[in-house]
């Protein structure tokens, strides 16, 4: 842990310029305070010179890197560290920034089918850490992670961050359920859960609809010092008029329409906007999250290697014994890191814990017969 201090304003900054910027900043801040007066979570601590700030990383693929096991581990560490402020740092994007290259990797897309787990994960953070003020800081979020990012009302974005909705949601659902009645019910169920995430951050359903359904449009009207989202293009500011892609916000736009509370590129800047010039950073969460991600990625690599080796064994007693040993190592890895089983590489090869355990039982019977 270290004491981090906000950088002083440049000496070249004239008094007149500083006064103008200060006045503009106070106006925007006041507008946001009026528009979003009932923040979720505990209030920020007052009169504290140097609060302890815990960085709670949510980085990588939704459903594997960002999942309940790592969230539970981080929650336990937060309770141990006892910070004054919790900063959830979100970086999870399905869509690459360079559109013309078309180099998005579908294997890395967030797992929308895990939406009930995301709801439980978000609820657990809110409930188990309800006594700690929570702030969402979005570095980049496109896909189902965008809905998770909106589950916090105190929300800031990096200057180059994106906040975007789901792509191909309808096609994905239709591919999973061919029966029209079942498909309709599943779309309604999933949509309800997704909207619940957005509602948790006190954002309107019109915003959620535009992020979930490609055909929905969105605009904004301003009333007094607040912003009102409209589910069509009749508002004062048309945000999304497209009917073939979900809405997406760049950081400057999100701040101007009062969707975000501000734009920051460093933790120093974020804490300063929260009202503190100095703070103590708690970085154990970042270390824990990185170690977890490294470990399960290594475990997945081992599983693929063991499966390949198992496929090369012979049907002799010796070969079956080796195959059984390799499969048992696979099962152990899947028990330690359930997220491995969720990866599309595993699903495409039919690698599940249940399937491998069944194969082990078959091998035992083959050995007995021989």
């Amino acid at each position: 842990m270290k004491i981090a201090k906000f950088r002083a304003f440049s000496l070249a900054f004239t008094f007149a310029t500083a006064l103008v910027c200060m006045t503009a900043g106070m106006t925007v801040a006041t507008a946001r305070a009026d528009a979003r007066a009932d923040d979720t979570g505990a209030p920020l601590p007052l009169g504290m010179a140097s609060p302890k700030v815990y960085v709670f990383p949510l980085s990588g693929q939704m459903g594997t890197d960002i999942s309940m096991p790592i969230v539970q581990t981080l929650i336990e560490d937060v309770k141990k560290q006892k910070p004054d402020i919790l900063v959830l740092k979100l970086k999870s994007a399905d869509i690459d920034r360079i559109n013309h290259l078309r180099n998005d990797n579908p294997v890395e897309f967030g797992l929308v089918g895990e939406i009930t787990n995301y709801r439980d994960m978000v609820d657990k953070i809110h409930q188990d850490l309800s006594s700690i003020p929570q702030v969402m800081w979005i570095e980049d979020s496109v896909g189902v992670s965008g809905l998770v990012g909106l589950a916090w009302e105190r929300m800031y974005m990096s200057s180059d961050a994106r906040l975007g909705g789901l792509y191909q949601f309808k096609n994905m659902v239709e591919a999973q359920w061919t029966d029209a009645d079942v498909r309709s019910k599943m779309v309604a169920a999933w949509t309800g859960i997704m909207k619940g995430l957005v509602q948790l951050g006190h954002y309107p359903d019109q915003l959620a609809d535009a992020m979930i359904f490609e055909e929905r449009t969105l605009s904004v009207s301003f009333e007094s010092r607040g912003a009102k989202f409209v589910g069509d293009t009749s508002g004062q500011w048309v945000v999304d008029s497209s009917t073939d892609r979900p809405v997406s916000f760049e950081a400057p736009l999100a701040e101007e329409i009062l969707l975000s509370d501000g734009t920051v590129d460093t933790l120093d800047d974020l804490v300063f906007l929260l009202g503190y010039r100095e703070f103590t950073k708690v970085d154990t969460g970042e270390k824990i999250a990185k170690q977890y991600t490294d470990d399960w990625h290594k475990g997945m690599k081992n599983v693929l290697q063991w499966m390949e080796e198992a496929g090369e064994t012979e049907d002799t007693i010796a070969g079956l014994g080796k195959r059984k040993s390799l499969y048992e190592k696979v099962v152990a890895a899947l028990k330690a890191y359930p997220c491995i089983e969720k990866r599309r590489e595993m699903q495409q090869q039919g690698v599940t814990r249940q399937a491998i355990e069944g194969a082990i039982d078959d091998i035992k019977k083959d050995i007995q017969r021989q």
Side-chain angles (χ1 to χ4, degrees), residues 77-111:
D77 188 56
V78 170
K79 292 180 178 179
K80 178 181 177 182
Q81 300 295 336
K82 301 183 185 304
D84 301 302
I85 300 173
L86 185 68
V87 174
L88 298 110
K89 193 175 183 181
L90 177 60
K91 186 176 183 181
S92 176
D94 292 349
I95 306 300
D96 189 76
R97 292 181 179 275
I98 309 174
N99 295 328
H100 69 274
L101 292 181
R102 297 184 179 277
N103 59 343
D104 300 311
N105 185 358
V107 170
E108 299 295 336
F109 285 7
L111 307 178

Side-chain angles (χ1 to χ4, degrees), residues 301-358:
K301 182 178 179 181
N302 288 336
V303 165
L304 291 171
Q305 180 180 339
W306 294 330
M307 292 297 297
E308 183 177 353
E309 292 177 7
E312 296 173 353
T313 58
E314 299 179 352
D315 290 333
T316 62
I317 291 181
L320 291 171
K322 182 179 180 181
R323 190 185 308 166
K324 173 176 169 292
S325 177
L326 289 167
Y327 281 164
E328 288 171 342
K329 292 166 72 174
V330 170
V331 170
L334 296 178
K335 285 182 178 179
Y337 301 103
C339 56
I340 294 176
E341 195 173 331
K342 298 175 184 177
R343 288 288 293 190
R344 290 187 176 88
E345 296 100 322
M346 301 295 133
Q347 296 172 3
Q348 290 168 0
Q349 296 186 34
V351 179
T352 66
R353 179 176 161 185
Q354 182 179 9
I356 302 303
E357 288 174 340

Side-chain angles (χ1 to χ4, degrees), residues 228-292:
K228 179 182 178 181
F229 287 93
V230 184
D232 52 41
T233 57
S234 65
Q236 297 170 341
W237 191 325
V238 177
V239 177
D240 177 30
S241 60
S242 170
T243 58
D244 59 3
R245 64 176 182 272
V247 68
S248 181
F249 303 92
E250 301 288 339
L253 173 62
E255 184 174 6
E256 288 181 21
I257 64 174
L258 308 182
L259 178 61
S260 78
D261 290 332
T263 304
V264 294
D265 286 324
T266 67
L267 185 61
D268 291 359
D269 295 342
L270 175 59
V271 176
F272 181 75
L273 287 186
L274 294 177
Y276 310 95
R277 290 185 176 274
E278 297 183 358
F279 67 96
T280 302
K281 180 184 177 183
V282 184
D283 60 2
T284 55
E286 293 173 302
K287 296 176 182 178
I288 290 172
K290 183 180 185 304
Q291 187 63 57
Y292 175 83

Side-chain angles (χ1 to χ4, degrees), residues 10-184:
S10 171
L11 293 178
F13 221 82
T14 65
F15 175 77
T17 304
L19 182 59
V20 170
C21 291
M22 185 181 300
T23 303
M26 290 174 63
T27 302
V28 173
T30 303
R32 291 199 187 90
D34 290 346
R36 309 251 293 280
D38 52 348
D39 280 346
T40 52
L44 293 168
L46 299 176
M48 185 174 290
S50 180
K52 288 175 62 178
V53 178
Y54 187 105
V55 178
F56 193 111
L58 298 170
S59 180
Q61 184 187 34
M62 293 293 303
T64 54
D65 297 307
I66 305 172
S67 58
M68 185 61 84
I70 183 58
V71 164
Q72 179 62 56
T73 301
L74 289 172
I75 287 175
E76 292 171 359
D77 188 56
V78 170
K79 292 180 178 179
K80 178 181 177 182
Q81 300 295 336
K82 301 183 185 304
D84 301 302
I85 300 173
L86 185 68
V87 174
L88 298 110
K89 193 175 183 181
L90 177 60
K91 186 176 183 181
S92 176
D94 292 349
I95 306 300
D96 189 76
R97 292 181 179 275
I98 309 174
N99 295 328
H100 69 274
L101 292 181
R102 297 184 179 277
N103 59 343
D104 300 311
N105 185 358
V107 170
E108 299 295 336
F109 285 7
L111 307 178
V112 180
E114 295 287 306
I115 188 63
T116 55
N117 292 329
Y118 303 151
R119 175 199 58 196
D120 296 342
M121 180 179 72
V122 168
D123 284 344
K124 191 164 189 62
I125 297 173
H126 276 289
Q127 294 174 12
D128 287 15
L129 305 176
S130 60
S131 62
I132 304 173
Q134 301 177 17
V135 181
M136 170 56 67
W137 180 17
I138 296 178
E139 280 197 306
D140 201 23
S141 180
V142 179
V144 69
S145 63
L147 299 165
V148 171
L150 290 174
W152 279 266
E153 189 164 8
R154 293 191 191 98
M155 190 269 283
Y156 296 79
M157 296 176 67
S158 297
S159 59
D160 62 345
R162 299 169 299 169
L163 174 62
L166 295 169
Y167 284 76
Q168 300 297 321
F169 171 60
K170 182 179 179 181
N171 292 342
M172 182 198 68
V173 172
E174 290 180 349
Q176 291 195 40
W177 293 283
T178 56
D179 184 272
D181 185 50
V182 174
R183 184 168 61 241
S184 176

Side-chain angles (χ1 to χ4, degrees), residues 58 143 217-218 370:
L58 298 170
T217 57
L218 186 71
Q370 290 196 34

